[in-house]
């Protein structure tokens, strides 16, 4: 083989190697998990069927560079409520002093990517914004619905019963955007002693009602949870719709309070969803560990909340491949081998 022929074969071999590497890189990039829909659909529909409970932040990523656009490759791995600012939106409390045991007119804004308070919101489950407040030890839970005070300011009557650290979540979808959950810390002044997490238990009692939990949380997989409501030993079969559903379930991971907001399978008035005693949810938690579940349900005109501590189990087994990875190295100069472009 003359010099020109040898050089041509060598260059062709390099082209195959780098072309194969580029194809493999593109394939790996495409294999990442797509942004998952959350329990609100665009975090704001009444969901029928099996809603995904990946945190709202699962469809909103972190910022990368001056464009401040979400990074889909990392978005699906960011649990909701852990950030005060995300995708250009920021939760900003205007009330800074909270006295334990006293009702406070708590005011806050959500500023948008333009730096101005957001004034346009999508309605999700009958409300433009849902406001959740929990104690850091997960002993207290409040699901509130603030009122618009004008110029993008929200106001809600809030009472923190004791001194301590709390976490507030704003669950919303701005007009033209998708669902988002932002979180911020609140503090009620005074000495306090954190309580231990309530023990794992499959039955919660509230105001004479007993709520039992059937099902297990499996990290990274859709888990069917059925909560059954009874009173005085009799099943409750006439639950009333509350915000467009027979029940609302919020899950919070102990430790960092990663937030999940999911809704039940089916909807009131769809002709197939019974009004109790069971309310079924499909939940997906991001990791092993302890979680607190809070179920809101309405009966006889009153909304009640049942709380559970649940321990998520082992991670599911990783997926197996059907064959060996393709190689980007040609068997001899000039050959193409097997590449997945």
């Amino acid at each position: 083989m003359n010099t020109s022929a040898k050089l041509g074969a060598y260059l062709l071999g390099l082209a195959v190697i780098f072309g194969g590497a580029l194809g493999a890189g593109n394939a790996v990039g495409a294999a990442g998990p797509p942004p998952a829909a959350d329990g609100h659909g665009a975090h704001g529909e009444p969901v029928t069927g099996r809603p995904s409970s990946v945190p709202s932040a699962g469809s909103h990523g972190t910022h990368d560079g001056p464009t401040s656009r979400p990074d889909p490759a990392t978005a699906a791995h960011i649990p909701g409520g852990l950030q005060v600012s995300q995708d250009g939106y920021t939760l900003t409390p205007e009330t800074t002093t909270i006295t334990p045991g006293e009702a406070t007119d708590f005011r806050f804004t959500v500023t948008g990517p333009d730096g101005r308070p957001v004034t346009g919101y999508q309605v999700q489950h009958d409300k433009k914004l849902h406001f959740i407040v929990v104690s850091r030890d997960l002993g207290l839970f409040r699901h509130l619905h603030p009122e618009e005070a004008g110029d993008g300011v929200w106001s809600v009557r809030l009472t923190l019963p004791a001194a301590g650290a709390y976490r507030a979540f704003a669950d919303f979808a701005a007009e033209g955007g998708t669902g988002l959950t932002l979180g911020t810390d609140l503090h009620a002044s005074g000495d306090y002693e954190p309580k231990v997490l309530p023990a794992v238990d499959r039955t919660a009692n509230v105001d004479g009602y007993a709520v039992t939990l059937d099902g297990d949380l499996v990290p990274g997989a859709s888990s069917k949870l059925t909560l059954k409501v009874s009173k005085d030993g009799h099943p409750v079969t006439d639950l009333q719709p509350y915000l467009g559903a027979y029940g609302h379930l919020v899950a919070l991971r102990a430790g960092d309070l990663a937030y999940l907001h999911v809704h039940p399978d089916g909807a009131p008035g769809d002709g197939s969803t019974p009004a109790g005693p069971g309310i079924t949810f499909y939940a997906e938690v991001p990791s092993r560990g302890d979680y607190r579940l809070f179920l809101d349900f309405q009966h006889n005109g009153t909304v009640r909340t049942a709380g559970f501590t649940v321990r998520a189990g082992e991670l599911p087994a990783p997926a197996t491949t059907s064959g060996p990875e393709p190689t980007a190295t040609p068997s001899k100069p000039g050959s193409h081998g097997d590449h997945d472009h």
Side-chain angles (χ1 to χ4, degrees):
M1 182 180 295
N2 59 33
T3 302
S4 299
K6 290 180 178 179
L7 180 59
Y10 176 73
L11 293 175
L12 181 57
L14 287 179
V16 171
I17 291 171
F18 286 106
L22 177 61
N26 290 338
V28 170
D38 52 43
H40 292 295
H43 214 67
E45 60 25 295
V47 179
T48 59
R50 297 188 179 189
S52 168
S53 64
V54 173
S56 58
S59 55
H60 305 272
T62 55
H63 306 299
D64 184 11
T67 58
S68 294
R69 293 186 178 183
D71 179 2
T74 58
H77 304 290
I78 303 173
L82 296 181
Q83 301 182 97
V84 70
S85 183
Q86 189 174 343
D87 293 355
Y89 295 89
T90 301
L91 175 59
T92 305
E94 292 190 353
T95 303
T96 58
T97 301
I98 301 177
T99 301
E102 294 185 7
T104 300
D105 180 20
F106 186 82
R107 297 166 72 88
F108 63 93
T109 62
V110 175
T111 56
D114 60 359
R116 300 177 180 178
V118 176
T119 57
Y121 291 84
Q122 301 175 39
V123 174
Q124 26 183 46
H125 294 278
D126 298 341
K127 298 292 180 179
K128 294 182 178 180
L129 186 145
H130 297 259
F131 195 65
I132 306 295
V133 177
V134 299
S135 58
R136 271 282 174 183
D137 58 21
L138 291 175
L140 174 137
F141 175 90
R142 299 282 187 270
H143 184 170
L144 308 173
H145 297 101
E147 299 292 334
E148 293 176 278
D151 299 323
V153 177
W154 292 91
S155 176
V156 64
R157 203 69 173 163
L158 175 63
T159 302
L160 300 181
Y166 297 80
R167 185 76 172 171
F169 303 94
D171 186 351
F172 65 92
E175 286 183 354
T178 52
L180 190 62
T181 301
L182 300 178
T184 188
D185 286 334
L186 307 179
H187 299 277
S189 58
D191 295 332
Y192 78 101
E193 184 175 340
K195 298 178 182 178
V196 298
L197 192 71
V200 173
D201 197 338
R202 289 187 174 269
T203 300
N205 295 286
V206 53
D207 296 341
Y209 292 81
V211 183
T212 58
L213 171 65
D214 182 25
D216 297 297
L217 291 175
V218 179
S222 180
S223 305
K224 181 179 179 180
L225 304 176
T226 300
L227 296 108
K228 297 180 180 179
V229 183
S230 64
K231 182 173 175 59
D232 300 327
H234 302 286
V236 175
T237 57
D238 57 346
L239 292 171
Q240 297 166 318
Y242 172 60
L243 300 176
Y246 285 130
H248 290 256
L249 185 67
V250 170
L252 294 162
R253 183 169 58 187
D256 63 358
L257 305 191
Y259 175 98
L260 297 161
H261 194 174
V262 296
H263 294 278
D265 189 22
D270 63 4
S272 60
T273 303
I279 314 170
T280 297
F281 299 84
Y282 291 88
E284 184 174 335
V285 296
S287 68
R288 289 173 289 180
D290 291 334
Y291 291 80
R292 282 288 284 172
L293 306 183
F294 296 98
L295 172 72
D296 289 332
F297 66 95
Q298 181 169 242
H299 188 240
N300 289 336
T302 300
V303 177
R304 296 171 174 86
T305 302
F308 301 83
T309 299
V310 178
R311 184 161 297 146
E314 296 296 322
L315 291 168
T320 58
T321 57
S322 57
E325 292 292 328
T327 177
T329 303
S331 57
K332 61 181 179 179
S335 68
H336 287 263
D338 296 321
H339 301 291
D340 185 9
H341 294 281

